[in-house]
Amino acid sequence: MNTEKKVQTTSQRWIGYLGYRKELEVMDCTIRDGGLMNSSRFEDKIVRAVYDACGDANIDYMEIGYKNSKEIYSVDKFGAWRFCAEDDVNRIIGDNKRNVKIAVMADAEKCEYKTDIIEKSQSPIDVIRVATYIHQIPLALDMIKDATDKGYETTVNLMAVSTVREAELDEGLEMLADSDVGTIYLVDSFGSLYCEQIRYMMNKYIKIAGMAGKRIGIHAHNNLQLAFANTVEAINSGANLVDGTLAGLGRGAGNCPLEMLVGFLHNPKYRMRPLLECVEKHIEPLRKQLGWGFDYPYMMTGFLNNHPRSAMEYNENPEKRGKIVDFYDNIMR
């Protein structure tokens, strides 16, 4: 493990409105996070279109799906991108390997990581993204070590931090900072955080983990229409790996739109047009079917700092969808 301490000053964090940090990188999460809206059942042509768009736009990473256990998730109900078998990933990449690192998410307690994650030398996957709740950190540390030992770049998404007591968060960050993980993510799982809270928590992450040599990332949800604003706040507070999705496609209220993020960064390396072309041809046509994006039930769960599952279930019922007052009355009981 790299024990070198890296101190990040305020001037190194702030990029201004026209400048950019060369070390800041971007991850597309369209297929992985969007898969929570359709049980990861994307057609190959859409996955390939997103992959090509990321390549043409010079996006650094594409998170193509999950490495979830087939003992927990039925292959009859869930598509290939809930499992990301190497053959499926290779089928997308084909002979058109782009300069985009492929990432997958491995959930603590939902991934048979010792067997389903094979040696990096045998896999087209580059990055293992471990997702963990605070109480699962001991398991997450084992998963990080396993993936690192197998040759992968690693990140960790510490989820639902808006519900975690500060002393527990500090301890958890200290444990992760002492691991081999490369990047530690601040995750606004419920889309409930405001910019001031993002700034406060980013400073905490940088103080505890950033000064231990860890890169800090941000993954934001849009329940309160703050995903983009919170991502910008995180960037100006020191985040150097930032997530977005095409047209904001993602669970419930969705995520920070990738195309808005690229527009903000001003880095001439990134190109907007390929992203917009993919949105127009492949992503927006899915909106009516999948129904992601800001909606009042998602807003209410965001204000209450609740998981949006109740809003998702409500919106999936055609007899209830649109009856926002009924949802409000039920959730406030």
Side-chain angles (χ1 to χ4, degrees):
M1 185 177 71
N2 180 13
T3 58
E4 179 185 356
K5 305 294 183 183
K6 298 180 180 180
V7 179
Q8 190 172 30
T9 67
T10 302
S11 62
Q12 289 173 315
R13 300 179 201 173
W14 172 250
I15 64 173
Y17 296 108
L18 297 177
Y20 65 93
R21 288 199 303 270
K22 291 183 179 180
E23 65 270 25
L24 192 154
E25 295 186 306
V26 176
M27 181 171 297
D28 166 73
C29 305
T30 305
I31 300 301
R32 197 280 302 169
D33 213 316
L36 295 171
M37 300 300 289
N38 69 349
S39 299
S40 301
R41 290 185 172 276
F42 288 104
E43 297 178 19
D44 279 6
K45 68 177 182 179
I46 293 177
V47 182
R48 187 173 294 112
V50 173
Y51 177 66
D52 285 336
C54 287
D56 291 342
N58 297 315
I59 301 301
D60 303 284
Y61 299 85
M62 174 185 172
E63 190 181 34
I64 201 168
Y66 288 92
K67 271 286 188 184
N68 280 164
S69 169
K70 294 180 180 179
E71 298 297 319
I72 299 175
Y73 294 88
S74 167
V75 295
D76 295 327
K77 181 178 179 181
F78 293 90
W81 311 110
R82 191 56 59 105
F83 311 105
C84 291
E86 272 64 27
D87 287 345
D88 290 322
V89 177
N90 278 321
R91 188 176 67 249
I92 297 302
I93 295 174
D95 296 327
N96 189 32
K97 173 66 174 172
R98 311 301 299 270
N99 190 28
V100 181
K101 293 181 180 180
I102 297 295
V104 297
M105 179 165 281
D107 286 304
E109 300 183 14
K110 296 180 182 178
C111 174
E112 303 295 336
Y113 65 96
K114 292 183 179 180
T115 54
D116 288 348
I117 297 175
I118 63 176
E119 293 288 333
K120 170 65 188 82
S121 60
Q122 304 171 34
S123 175
I125 296 166
D126 301 291
V127 185
I128 302 298
R129 304 233 294 171
V130 175
T132 179
Y133 290 101
I134 191 76
H135 67 279
Q136 298 169 320
I137 283 182
L139 172 59
L141 294 174
D142 287 344
M143 295 174 70
I144 290 165
K145 185 177 188 309
D146 179 80
T148 301
D149 289 347
K150 289 174 178 174
Y152 293 94
E153 181 180 338
T154 56
T155 75
V156 62
N157 283 32
L158 184 52
M159 300 184 292
V161 292
S162 59
T163 67
V164 178
R165 290 181 295 182
E166 188 151 13
E168 290 182 323
L169 179 57
D170 289 351
E171 183 180 358
L173 287 173
E174 288 169 0
M175 294 171 70
L176 292 171
D178 197 39
S179 75
D180 291 326
V181 75
T183 303
I184 299 175
Y185 266 87
L186 168 58
V187 183
D188 184 10
S189 298
F190 302 158
S192 62
L193 296 176
Y194 294 95
C195 292
E196 295 85 351
Q197 293 168 295
I198 292 289
R199 187 186 316 126
Y200 174 82
M201 297 184 79
M202 278 297 305
N203 287 334
K204 177 188 293 292
Y205 276 53
I206 288 171
K207 180 178 180 180
I208 296 175
M211 294 185 71
K214 306 302 180 185
R215 179 169 59 171
I216 308 301
I218 178 69
H219 182 91
H221 282 265
N222 205 37
N223 298 65
L224 301 181
Q225 299 201 62
L226 289 172
F228 176 62
N230 282 342
T231 300
V232 170
E233 188 67 51
I235 289 169
N236 285 328
S237 296
N240 273 331
L241 183 55
V242 294
D243 289 3
T245 64
L246 291 170
L249 172 56
R251 185 200 67 200
N255 301 79
C256 175
L258 183 64
E259 56 277 8
M260 290 186 68
L261 180 57
V262 165
F264 166 77
L265 291 177
H266 297 295
N267 188 334
K269 163 187 169 180
Y270 300 119
R271 299 178 61 229
M272 176 81 75
R273 194 177 191 281
L275 304 179
L276 296 179
E277 185 176 12
C278 187
V279 167
E280 178 182 329
K281 291 183 177 179
H282 300 283
I283 306 302
E284 281 298 339
L286 296 173
R287 188 177 292 275
K288 186 175 181 180
Q289 170 194 345
L290 301 185
W292 78 92
F294 174 80
D295 201 355
Y296 291 101
Y298 298 135
M299 176 194 76
M300 295 172 206
T301 61
F303 278 132
L304 293 174
N305 196 21
N306 288 346
H307 194 288
R309 64 173 62 89
S310 60
M312 293 174 69
E313 292 170 0
Y314 199 86
N315 282 343
E316 288 170 0
N317 187 329
E319 296 181 359
K320 294 182 178 180
R321 181 171 176 80
K323 297 181 179 179
I324 56 179
V325 176
D326 285 348
F327 183 81
Y328 175 84
D329 289 342
N330 287 329
I331 201 171
M332 294 302 291
R333 286 177 182 170

